[in-house]
Amino acid sequence: MKLLLPILLAIGYGLLMYRLSVWRTKRQLDANSTELADPILNQLTRQMAGALDLPRIRVFIYEIEPVNGLAAPDGRIFITRGFYQKYRNGEVTADELASVIAHELGHVALGHSRRRMIDFSGQNALRMVLMMIVGRFIPFIGIWIANILTSLVAARMSRSDEYEADAYATALLIKSGIGAGPQKSLFTKLERLTKTNAGAVPAWLLSHPKAQERIAAIETLERKWGQALRGA
Ligand SMILES: [Zn+2]
């Protein structure tokens, strides 16, 4: 019991921290977002909702600068003001922004967004719990081990999630008549933007695998599904 109690306390504290950060994130999103009101984009989300047999897809603009898209566990999709501005400036097309919405919808549909909250806001809580537990048994290098374990879990989780969300988006974009073209052109565009801005990587790319590998994965799916459709 003497050994167990501190561990239970550490886990309890970690869970509390995690709940708190999820709650803070949700409040932040609620307070700083407004529903998307662009007629062209709304038409595209209606097309995607139709393909999914959903009454509607709720998309919001989140008032922050970094170019990013997020999915809340309750199914709402958020596009940052910075990303939306790129669309308004003509740097990103409506179809390309729709591919971001489709990708984020994939995270919701595949149940990633609930897990991703850990990635998003609670990763420190996990690290801390591990640090307290591992550090108790292995002094000094315990912190180092906890850090490695945390980043291993996070990296594995996000990499496979991204490919799955991409595949979902490819299928949805094809089914709703938008096609996978914009999904691929956006990756190329964002990567180019990264280079011209001298290392200012859009957050949406930073948290995701390499653009070239993602494009290749989408093309494999297009070929596979194309064959299946022709065969049918
Ligand atoms: Zn993603």
Side-chain angles (χ1 to χ4, degrees), residues 103 107 116 162 208:
H103 172 96
H107 283 308
R116 259 159 65 102
E162 293 321 324
H208 291 75

Side-chain angles (χ1 to χ4, degrees), residues 17-18 20 24 26 60 62-63 65 73 75 82 87 90 98 123 132 146 148 151 185 187 200 203-204 207 220 229:
M17 289 257 306
Y18 170 63
L20 205 73
R24 251 201 321 255
K26 192 182 169 307
F60 294 80
Y62 181 33
E63 298 296 337
E65 269 315 300
Y87 158 65
Q123 222 182 86
M132 283 165 89
I148 290 174
S151 44
S185 62
F187 293 149
W204 201 66
S207 59
T220 306
L229 287 174

